[in-house]
Amino acid sequence: MTYFIDRRPNAKHKSAVNRQRFLERYRQHIKRSVEEAVNRRSITDMERGEKISIPTKDISEPVFQHGPGGARNIVSPGNKEFLQGDRIRRPSGQGGGGGAGEGSASDQGEGNDEFAFTLSREEFLEFVFDGLELPHLQSKPLKSLEEVKMVRAGLSRDGVPSRISITRSMREAYARRIAMRAPIKRALKEAEQALEAEERKDSVLRNPARVAELKADIERLKKRIEAVPFIDTYDLRYHQLAAQPQPSSQAVMFCVMDVSGSMTQNHKDIAKRFFLLLYLFLEKHYEKVELVFVRHHTAAKEVSEEEFFYSRETGGTIVSSALTLVDHIIQKRYPAEQWNLYVAQASDGDNWDDDSNTCRNLLIKKLMPQLQYYAYVEITPHDHQSLWHEYQNVAEHFPERFTMRQIVEASDIYPVFRELFKRRLNQAR
């Protein structure tokens, strides 16, 4: 038997790499389980982890075993049926220990049909939003926004120790040592050559005073060479940083929800689940996306996150009031030349008299020329109403940036959400 002992010094996180490999290997099984979990969850537990089960038949792991060959003698105590060299018949595999779903049915034995494990919150959300992104996100030039990036701007002789350039400092020190020692070394070489020539002379012609003088010069020159410092404060160089304006990918998402009387409680729950998915998606993948929540019936109002999801206010329906408010907020706080603008709207399609025409004109003439993307979901099991038909005209004018989908029941929320925010292959990354 061969034993493998893992002695990697990874402390308590030693299985993190293996876990990622496991999740990648069974990604398709996990994604199917995650989709089912999203459809059956309520609003309050949308972002917790999930227990995932994988059928045992789909799990296969490599194993180490002895290969064929070699001479082995096996002693089986108590064996009265077989002798050495007899062939043992392979078991039929229909015993009761295989568990339900393996072999024939049996009322005895125990088994495991599935392998179960738990996804953390981060892993769960990673699978939920895998392959999604904000469409047409662009880098906007900075004007009044104060966003800069500190970049290296050369070297200087002054700076703080944490920004010292060791390589450049050592190079400067080496160059200084060469420059300072070169004339001294030349003088030392000349003195050594003169001393050698003087000592080669005959004892009668040799000048002892000259020899002593040359030895003294050589000693003095060697001390001067040793006195040249290895590194000096003059050699130190420091990295300098400069503030460089950066293009901004800041974005704002307007969440517009119809809370009129025609929206039943089931419709509102579906709309809230859709917007909660959108909220979690933006929170996880985008740091610089602001959220603006707008609720409307006959009048529109910008509300807080808590009021958006939990307020019970209701009334008639004038959708144009919400679009007008969105346009007003954009003009006041989010100029289109500096922000990526997105709108997600959920409604049952019911609207007041001719207000749908007003909505169409507002979108075509004012909002859509400024927006990166507009996603409209209509929550209704019936035929489309006037708002849907008017929005079709908008989609014809802006086919790439205006998208419409219908949600009939709660199980449609996640597929529709993925379709609205799927990654576009032709989109610049």
Side-chain angles (χ1 to χ4, degrees), residues 179-193:
M180 293 182 67
R181 290 174 176 176
I184 304 176
K185 286 184 175 181
R186 282 196 299 270
L188 176 62
K189 185 176 181 180
E190 292 174 358
E192 289 176 342
Q193 290 175 350

Side-chain angles (χ1 to χ4, degrees), residues 181-200 210-211 213-222 224-225:
R181 290 174 176 176
I184 304 176
K185 286 184 175 181
R186 282 196 299 270
L188 176 62
K189 185 176 181 180
E190 292 174 358
E192 289 176 342
Q193 290 175 350
L195 177 62
E196 184 180 356
E198 190 68 30
E199 289 181 340
R200 283 201 302 265
R210 177 61 178 166
V211 171
E213 181 183 353
L214 289 173
K215 289 183 177 180
D217 288 342
I218 291 172
E219 186 68 24
R220 177 177 56 82
L221 292 172
K222 288 183 177 179
R224 286 185 59 187
I225 292 175

Side-chain angles (χ1 to χ4, degrees), residues 149 186 204 246 269 276 297 313 316 337 353 359 375 409 412:
K149 178 182 179 182
R186 282 196 299 270
V204 177
Q246 293 295 302
D269 288 341
L276 183 58
H297 36 80
E313 184 180 3
E337 65 272 9
D353 294 338
C359 294
E409 53 188 16
D412 298 331

Side-chain angles (χ1 to χ4, degrees), residues 64-270:
F64 291 92
Q65 61 185 14
H66 291 287
R72 293 186 297 163
N73 294 322
I74 300 176
V75 177
S76 301
N79 174 34
K80 297 181 179 179
E81 183 179 354
F82 300 102
L83 298 176
Q84 183 173 348
D86 290 348
R87 290 183 176 273
I88 302 176
R89 185 181 299 277
R90 187 181 299 275
S92 61
Q94 296 183 356
E102 296 185 11
S104 59
S106 172
D107 60 353
Q108 297 178 356
E110 296 180 356
N112 293 320
D113 274 343
E114 298 179 335
F115 172 74
F117 65 98
T118 301
L119 289 177
S120 66
R121 176 185 182 274
E122 290 299 318
E123 291 170 341
F124 178 75
L125 294 180
E126 188 67 36
F127 278 98
V128 169
F129 303 124
D130 180 44
L132 304 183
E133 66 181 1
L134 285 177
H136 313 297
L137 186 64
Q138 299 177 354
S139 294
K140 298 286 185 174
L142 284 178
K143 291 188 177 179
S144 59
L145 295 178
E146 294 294 334
E147 182 175 351
V148 296
K149 178 182 179 182
M150 302 305 292
V151 297
R152 287 187 178 181
L155 299 168
S156 172
R157 288 191 174 93
D158 300 320
V160 296
S162 61
R163 293 179 184 167
I164 190 171
S165 174
I166 297 178
T167 303
R168 188 60 181 270
S169 298
M170 297 304 295
R171 187 186 303 171
E172 293 291 334
Y174 183 62
R176 176 187 53 78
R177 292 198 304 271
I178 291 176
M180 293 182 67
R181 290 174 176 176
I184 304 176
K185 286 184 175 181
R186 282 196 299 270
L188 176 62
K189 185 176 181 180
E190 292 174 358
E192 289 176 342
Q193 290 175 350
L195 177 62
E196 184 180 356
E198 190 68 30
E199 289 181 340
R200 283 201 302 265
K201 291 180 180 180
D202 188 63
S203 58
V204 177
L205 299 177
R206 185 185 307 164
N207 187 348
R210 177 61 178 166
V211 171
E213 181 183 353
L214 289 173
K215 289 183 177 180
D217 288 342
I218 291 172
E219 186 68 24
R220 177 177 56 82
L221 292 172
K222 288 183 177 179
K223 289 182 178 180
R224 286 185 59 187
I225 292 175
E226 293 176 356
V228 175
F230 179 79
I231 191 166
D232 191 83
T233 54
Y234 177 83
D235 306 323
L236 299 181
R237 297 293 184 270
Y238 301 89
H239 292 293
Q240 294 297 301
L241 300 180
Q244 183 182 82
Q246 293 295 302
S248 172
S249 294
Q250 292 187 114
V252 56
M253 174 66 76
F254 292 88
C255 300
V256 181
M257 182 167 62
D258 184 356
V259 293
S260 61
S262 61
M263 289 277 287
T264 65
Q265 187 60 44
N266 182 53
H267 289 169
K268 291 178 181 178
D269 288 341
I270 291 176

Side-chain angles (χ1 to χ4, degrees), residues 319 345 347-351 355-357 359-360 363 375-380 382-396 402-408 416 420:
V319 178
Q345 179 186 1
S347 172
D348 63 346
D350 186 38
N351 200 9
D355 188 61
S356 296
N357 295 330
C359 294
R360 179 198 62 199
L363 284 168
Y376 171 67
V377 292
E378 186 168 287
I379 308 168
T380 175
H382 309 294
D383 294 335
H384 299 300
Q385 301 194 49
S386 60
L387 188 62
W388 178 276
H389 300 301
E390 295 297 337
Y391 275 8
Q392 285 180 325
N393 294 329
V394 181
E396 292 176 359
F402 192 97
T403 309
M404 307 163 56
R405 294 292 183 272
Q406 182 182 14
I407 295 178
V408 177
V416 167
L420 290 173

